[in-house]
Amino acid sequence: MTGKISSVTPILEMRDIGKTYGSIIALQGVSASVGEGEVLCVLGDNGAGKSTFIKILAGAHQHSGGTLLVYGKERRFSSPREALDVGIATVYQDLAVVPLMPVWRNFFLGSEMTRGVGPFRRLDVKAMRTITMEELAKMGIDLRDVDQPIGTLSGGERQSVAVARAVYFGAKIVILDEPTSALGVKQAGVVLKYIAHARDRGLGVVFITHNPHHAYPVGDRFLLLKRGTILGDFTKSEITIEEMTRLMAGGAELEALAHELERSTGK
Amino acid sequence: MTTTAIISGADERIPKASPLIKMLRRPEVGAAVAALAIFVFFSLSTQTFLTPAGVSTWLYSSSLFGIMAVAVALLMIGGEFDLSAGAMTGTTGLIVGVITTEWGVNIWLAMVIALLAALAIGAGNGYVVMKTGLPSFIVTLATFFILQGLNLAVTKLITGTVAIQGMSVVPGFDAVKIFFGSSFPFLGMDLKISVVWWVILVALASWVLLRTRAGNWIFAVGGEVTSSRQTGVPVMKTKVGLFMTTAGAGWLVGMLQLFDVSTVQATTGIGQEFIYIICAVVGGCLLTGGYGSAFGAALGALIYGMTLQGIVFAQWDNNWLKAFLGGMLLLAVLVNLYVRRQAGVR
């Protein structure tokens, strides 16, 4: 491992993780760790094994080799619920929100707060509104109105509501699956800002992306995957954004392509 | 200066909603305006509409449609349809009628049996829809035809006719009538008890929708079923519960009709299922689910009831009603479309 060695136990640690689907090796020998207030960026092109990586962490698939440690204790998740129970929340691209419902109802969906007993058990609307407002403020989102349908928020804001929700319901590690890929430059910037917020609150963030320009500004460590194995594992001080882009795109291949294109355009 | 302000706020890319648009976002606003207009129109253009007798007539008519419309609205907010809702009012009435008059079953027991039958059919609708993933439109269309056929065939088989007779001489009929078929003086009107049921149900449904977990789940399963599952909403339970609620409302209306007129036809309720849906849509429910209100559906039913009786009072050709209904529906759908665009979804 080329990365810095943390003195405290990381929240999440993967040692030599591998995953095979039948005879196909999807992931092999991948090691990584995330601590409190750390952002681990997982980069890779299509087919690099990013999805497999997330699915193992999120509990959707079990790893077939290596060990997965949460707070130093070995774990093997058999369902997303189990991953959630130890504090690993995954925010998928579709965000699991209901567009027509107000922000606060989305925030508490499935885990509503209630008051009263028996037939008089009712939603604690006031508390839920207040908490939503507070939790979003902690993420740096200042909503005018938590009653507006969540569909009216921008993509970046919706993403951060999903993150805030995960955090409020006990997540220690938030896995973000390509949160910026569908967004424009400005909106992606908004999401990056929220990732930084989450990090500053002491959460571990696993940020999956294929865009080095999104990863570099917020990441502490960078795990580059290619064809199911580690292409590189760096801390921020060990690599520049140019090197990272080069590595990801396949370095020499890209240069060869550049030369070829230059010739064909007649320069 | 102004330019910078726009640019700095532009990353939200949402125009600030004016108070008017915010008000129009309420699902029932369109229906409230229409109801008021129709009320004023018939009050001015006919002699009878605003008399105590007139008011109690259109209120009674509205209440029967309203009870069903409110239940159907809940179901539609939950993202499903029930085309068997109309036939259900006939089925439940017939069950009580047949087993009390032909077999001498205790009237209270008969009502419980009819309720259980309705709930079972509702649960069946929901279960099939959820297990197969078929559109509820198709599943309940099948139920509708089955019930329509059974209502006629079984009634004819047992009683030899297509209407129940001798209901009023069944022991206990008068006692039950107090709850389901009586009327009482109210502000100079002779108000039918069904109006009270209607008001109670609208209040109850609104409370459930807006202030309970179940209500939250109804909006969620109708709005985005995958997200609901991911966040742990019991989708199956919610939807089956809604189908049972609609069937239960069908039972209530079946009873209200049976004990009001002391008889029930085997064809009762046929063709009404679309009127319930229209009332719900006019009241602001989206056909695609996830949006609407119980109060709106009640207003939709009020519009229908007032128009139905208003046309009679005005001594117009009754056929105008259908054309009016179609026009209202189209208008409501257009308003809904506008609302959806404002909310910026789908």
Side-chain angles (χ1 to χ4, degrees):
Chain A
M1 299 251 305
T2 45
K4 64 175 178 194
I5 291 146
S6 180
S7 54
V8 291
T9 320
I11 307 177
L12 183 72
E13 198 178 352
M14 299 173 103
R15 289 183 192 153
D16 229 14
I17 286 282
K19 172 75 189 172
T20 52
Y21 296 104
S23 61
I24 297 156
I25 300 164
L27 208 62
Q28 199 177 24
V30 173
S31 301
S33 70
V34 199
E36 282 178 19
E38 247 185 9
V39 179
L40 169 72
C41 295
V42 180
L43 293 113
D45 228 329
N46 294 338
K50 286 176 300 184
S51 315
T52 311
F53 185 86
I54 308 173
K55 282 174 181 159
I56 292 171
L57 288 184
H61 286 333
Q62 291 194 23
H63 48 286
S64 40
T67 45
L68 176 66
L69 299 143
V70 183
Y71 287 111
K73 200 170 164 226
E74 195 177 340
R75 298 276 186 178
R76 180 179 285 272
F77 304 131
S78 53
S79 75
R81 189 78 243 172
E82 275 181 40
L84 262 177
D85 288 343
V86 298
I88 302 175
T90 310
V91 177
Y92 291 103
Q93 276 170 313
D94 65 8
L95 302 177
V97 296
V98 183
L100 281 165
M101 289 175 80
V103 174
W104 68 269
R105 284 187 187 265
N106 265 293
F107 195 94
F108 281 93
L109 188 57
S111 315
E112 297 86 354
M113 295 168 77
T114 53
R115 292 193 303 154
V117 285
F120 301 106
R121 201 167 152 214
R122 60 204 181 273
L123 294 179
D124 195 347
V125 178
K126 206 174 151 198
M128 285 196 281
R129 278 208 181 105
T130 316
I131 290 170
T132 306
M133 202 77 106
E134 283 169 6
E135 291 300 310
L136 292 183
K138 284 186 203 163
M139 290 293 297
I141 313 164
D142 182 21
L143 282 188
R144 283 185 301 272
D145 178 12
V146 285
D147 267 314
Q148 68 195 91
I150 204 163
T152 60
L153 299 188
S154 68
E157 286 173 328
R158 250 178 289 174
Q159 192 88 38
S160 25
V161 171
V163 174
R165 176 167 72 180
V167 173
Y168 178 74
F169 288 105
K172 299 282 179 286
I173 295 251
V174 181
I175 303 168
L176 300 166
D177 180 15
E178 303 259 9
T180 55
S181 64
L183 302 177
V185 176
K186 198 156 190 175
Q187 285 299 313
V190 174
V191 172
L192 296 181
K193 203 177 81 193
Y194 298 143
I195 291 176
H197 257 286
R199 175 196 64 199
D200 296 343
R201 292 176 63 189
L203 290 163
V205 179
V206 179
F207 174 23
I208 321 274
T209 179
H210 57 255
N211 192 335
H213 296 281
H214 290 162
Y216 200 76
V218 290
D220 297 304
R221 299 174 65 100
F222 304 93
L223 182 70
L224 274 63
L225 297 179
K226 190 179 187 185
R227 299 168 80 94
T229 56
I230 294 189
L231 185 65
D233 177 9
F234 308 96
T235 59
K236 199 166 195 160
S237 55
E238 292 169 342
I239 192 168
T240 63
I241 191 162
E242 289 79 18
E243 281 176 272
M244 204 153 74
T245 315
R246 250 171 52 83
L247 266 174
M248 269 188 66
E253 287 166 41
L254 194 66
E255 271 169 28
L257 181 67
H259 281 298
E260 202 175 303
L261 289 173
E262 265 174 45
R263 271 202 303 278
S264 63
T265 50
K267 279 190 181 171
Chain B
M1 194 60 202
T2 326
T3 335
T4 27
I6 289 168
I7 287 168
S8 68
D11 77 15
E12 321 279 297
R13 271 187 268 174
I14 314 155
K16 276 195 180 164
S18 71
L20 180 72
I21 286 169
K22 267 194 174 160
M23 198 184 75
L24 283 175
R25 267 190 195 149
R26 305 269 325 139
E28 58 279 300
V29 167
V33 173
L36 192 68
I38 288 163
F39 175 79
V40 171
F41 176 78
F42 282 116
S43 300
L44 296 178
S45 65
T46 70
Q47 300 290 320
T48 7
F49 193 80
L50 211 52
T51 61
V55 173
S56 62
T57 307
W58 55 257
L59 271 182
Y60 174 62
S61 183
S62 302
S63 70
L64 293 182
F65 288 106
I67 290 167
M68 288 312 289
V70 167
V72 166
L74 293 186
L75 183 68
M76 280 178 68
I77 295 170
E80 304 292 344
F81 287 103
D82 188 353
L83 297 183
S84 66
M88 186 66 77
T89 63
T91 304
T92 49
L94 288 166
I95 290 176
V96 173
V98 168
I99 66 179
T100 50
T101 55
E102 293 291 317
W103 302 335
V105 175
N106 175 283
I107 197 160
W108 295 98
L109 180 64
M111 287 171 67
V112 172
I113 291 170
L115 177 61
L116 291 178
L119 293 177
I121 295 167
N125 275 339
Y127 191 76
V128 171
V129 167
M130 293 309 289
K131 278 291 158 187
T132 59
L134 286 169
S136 52
F137 203 88
I138 296 300
V139 173
T140 58
L141 184 66
T143 315
F144 162 57
F145 273 96
I146 292 170
L147 290 182
Q148 185 181 4
L150 288 178
N151 285 358
L152 277 161
V154 175
T155 309
K156 224 170 157 182
L157 192 72
I158 298 174
T159 65
T161 65
V162 289
I164 302 296
Q165 280 139 11
M167 198 59 213
S168 50
V169 296
V170 169
F173 181 85
D174 293 328
V176 182
K177 197 176 162 77
I178 294 170
F179 297 101
F180 294 95
S182 62
S183 47
F184 60 94
F186 182 74
L187 298 177
M189 294 180 287
D190 195 24
L191 207 61
K192 291 273 170 78
I193 193 117
S194 66
V195 179
V196 177
W197 280 101
W198 183 35
V199 170
I200 291 172
L201 280 184
V202 172
L204 189 68
S206 295
W207 189 72
V208 167
L209 262 185
L210 298 175
R211 285 296 174 265
T212 68
R213 298 189 78 185
N216 222 29
W217 296 342
I218 292 170
F219 279 111
V221 296
E224 191 64 65
V225 76
T226 321
S227 299
S228 311
R229 275 210 186 88
Q230 283 173 357
T231 50
V233 171
V235 175
M236 177 91 176
K237 216 169 87 178
T238 308
K239 290 215 179 190
V240 172
L242 285 172
F243 277 106
M244 291 172 74
T245 305
T246 312
W251 170 83
L252 178 57
V253 172
M255 295 307 106
L256 291 170
Q257 286 175 335
L258 176 68
F259 290 98
D260 184 57
V261 293
S262 312
T263 180
V264 56
Q265 305 281 328
T267 51
T268 297
I270 305 297
Q272 316 248 283
E273 52 286 325
F274 281 112
I275 293 171
Y276 310 144
I277 294 175
I278 290 172
C279 290
V281 172
V282 167
C285 286
L286 282 187
L287 283 164
T288 43
Y291 189 78
S293 85
F295 185 61
L299 283 174
L302 191 63
I303 290 173
Y304 183 76
M306 286 195 299
T307 315
L308 182 74
Q309 302 303 333
I311 284 175
V312 175
F313 294 151
Q315 294 175 327
W316 294 348
D317 184 349
N318 212 1
N319 294 316
W320 287 106
L321 178 69
K322 286 279 160 65
F324 167 81
L325 205 59
M328 276 309 289
L329 179 65
L330 191 63
L331 196 67
V333 173
L334 290 176
V335 170
N336 280 347
L337 190 71
Y338 175 73
V339 167
R340 243 182 342 172
R341 295 234 171 101
Q342 285 299 322
V345 279
R346 281 191 276 180

